[in-house]
Amino acid sequence: MEVSIQIEVRSTEIDVMGHVNNAKYLEYLEWGREEWYNRAQLPFDEFTRMGIGTVTVRIEINYRKEATLGEKLTITTRPVKRGRSSFVLEQVIDNEKGERVADAQVTSVTIDLKERKSVPLPEKLAAYFPESR
């Protein structure tokens, strides 16, 4: 399942170079992941009911093109692979001209909220990912 959201770059996201600060892209990606979870019917409270949390353990991001004030950006999120307790979401950020602004692979792990240790992916989440090899 692929999910996209659109945002507009705001003045508070711009750094002294006149473009989006690199740290803001991580927020944009987080917003995209949150929307993916919601559309997968796995919002935060659903994980909590299962006694599970998701923890981001790695983000590999490529900054491709600067984004500036007022630009409309589309953040697209799609599942790419899963392990026993980990999963990877691929995310891309494109501008309104269709140019790639950034792309990332985000690895997360499911943990037991009480024990704070990794646990196998719940089937409800694993079902969105291709079988691991």
Side-chain angles (χ1 to χ4, degrees), residues 34-48:
E34 183 178 3
E35 185 65 20
W36 187 86
Y37 289 127
N38 288 340
R39 295 223 197 134
Q41 298 180 8
L42 286 166
F44 179 75
D45 58 344
E46 177 66 19
F47 279 111
T48 302

Side-chain angles (χ1 to χ4, degrees), residues 5-132:
I5 62 169
Q6 191 175 70
I7 63 163
E8 185 172 330
V9 176
R10 298 184 176 122
S11 61
T12 57
E13 298 160 357
I14 302 298
D15 64 18
V16 296
M17 295 294 295
H19 57 217
V20 174
N21 180 274
N22 66 75
K24 292 296 180 180
Y25 287 92
L26 299 179
E27 285 185 52
Y28 296 167
L29 296 174
E30 187 170 1
W31 299 343
R33 289 193 306 278
E34 183 178 3
E35 185 65 20
W36 187 86
Y37 289 127
N38 288 340
R39 295 223 197 134
Q41 298 180 8
L42 286 166
F44 179 75
D45 58 344
E46 177 66 19
F47 279 111
T48 302
R49 275 194 287 279
M50 292 187 281
I52 292 173
T54 62
V55 178
T56 300
V57 296
R58 179 185 167 113
I59 297 178
E60 184 177 333
I61 186 169
N62 299 299
Y63 300 98
R64 306 283 184 189
K65 183 170 182 57
E66 66 182 352
T68 56
L69 181 64
E71 272 192 271
K72 289 180 178 51
L73 303 176
T74 300
I75 299 113
T76 302
T77 305
R78 67 176 93 28
V80 291
K81 68 180 178 179
R82 71 178 198 211
R84 183 190 77 81
S85 62
S86 66
F87 58 98
V88 178
L89 293 170
E90 179 181 70
Q91 296 188 274
V92 297
I93 302 174
D94 294 322
N95 65 20
E96 54 200 306
K97 296 175 189 169
E99 299 167 321
R100 182 68 32 97
V101 172
D103 52 70
Q105 296 241 332
V106 181
T107 304
S108 298
V109 172
T110 50
I111 64 165
D112 178 287
L113 289 174
K114 289 181 184 167
E115 299 295 320
R116 310 306 271 188
K117 294 185 181 191
S118 68
V119 294
L121 295 181
E123 186 51 42
K124 195 170 178 181
L125 175 61
Y128 286 99
F129 292 84
E131 287 289 327
S132 57

